Amino acid sequence: MESREDYYTLSLPPCKSVAPPSPEPVTVESPRPIREYVEQFARYFLGERGKGNLQFEAAETLQSLGYVKYEAHLFNDGYRYIGACCFRWREWENAPASWSLDWAWFHPYFRSRGHLTRAWPSFTAGYGDFHLARPLSHAMEAFLAKVASPRGPAQ
C-alpha cells in the first residue's frame, strides 16, 4: 500500500547521457524502460488532474485493443527526465484526421523554464495544425497565449 508520503513524492528518472536531445522522441518501438518513464509522467498528470483515465501505458503495442498511434516526447535537463507529452493520431468525425496533443506534464520545479517553449516550433513543424485535448489547465492557457495557438479540438 502506498503511504501518504509516497503519494506526494515525484521521482525523476535519470537520463543515460548528460546531453541527449530534449525532447527525446518515444514511440511504440522505443525500449520498454523509456516508455515506462512516459507512463510515470502520465500517472503524475492523472494524479494532478484528479479525474479521467491514464493517457499512456508503456505496455501498449500495435496489437493492443484500441491502439491509437502515438508519438510521445521525454524532456530532460541533461541529468534526469523532468516531464513528457504525448501526441496521438486522431480520426475526427467533423474534421480531417490530425495529431492531437493529448497531455503534457512537467515536474513543478521545471515548469515555466522554457522547456515546452523551446520544443514548440519543432512540434508545430512536425505535427502541423494539431489539436489540443481539453480541458486545458490555466498554465497551458497562459502558455498558449504566449505562442501561436493551434486550433481547438474537433470533438
Side-chain angles (χ1 to χ4, degrees):
M1 184 170 161
E2 189 175 76
S3 73
R4 184 171 171 87
E5 185 176 304
D6 291 337
Y7 177 79
Y8 292 106
T9 300
L10 300 173
S11 67
L12 297 176
C15 294
K16 295 292 184 197
S17 167
V18 293
S22 184
E24 185 177 327
V26 177
T27 67
V28 70
E29 292 88 17
S30 296
R32 175 78 183 245
I34 296 297
R35 293 184 321 222
E36 287 173 352
Y37 296 154
V38 175
E39 180 177 326
Q40 178 179 343
F41 292 127
R43 288 186 185 285
Y44 292 156
F45 175 79
L46 176 61
E48 197 167 305
R49 281 187 60 192
K51 62 181 178 179
N53 299 311
L54 183 63
Q55 305 241 349
F56 185 92
E57 294 183 31
E60 189 174 358
T61 68
L62 295 171
Q63 292 74 37
S64 295
L65 184 63
Y67 172 79
V68 176
K69 181 180 177 179
Y70 70 83
E71 292 182 9
H73 298 271
L74 273 170
F75 291 81
N76 68 72
D77 68 350
Y79 302 99
R80 67 200 148 238
Y81 292 111
I82 59 170
C85 67
C86 186
F87 290 85
R88 296 242 181 210
W89 183 252
R90 299 294 184 185
E91 304 282 334
W92 309 103
E93 289 183 16
N94 58 349
S98 65
W99 287 100
S100 172
L101 177 56
D102 282 4
W103 62 273
W105 187 89
F106 288 87
H107 184 282
Y109 178 80
F110 294 99
R111 294 176 187 172
S112 299
R113 294 183 181 256
H115 296 284
L116 189 57
T117 301
R118 285 189 294 278
W120 202 254
S122 66
F123 289 163
T124 57
Y127 298 107
D129 196 12
F130 60 87
H131 293 268
L132 294 168
R134 303 287 200 260
L136 298 177
S137 68
H138 295 298
M140 182 56 90
E141 288 175 356
F143 170 78
L144 292 172
K146 285 189 336 186
V147 299
S149 173
R151 68 183 190 274
Q155 299 184 40

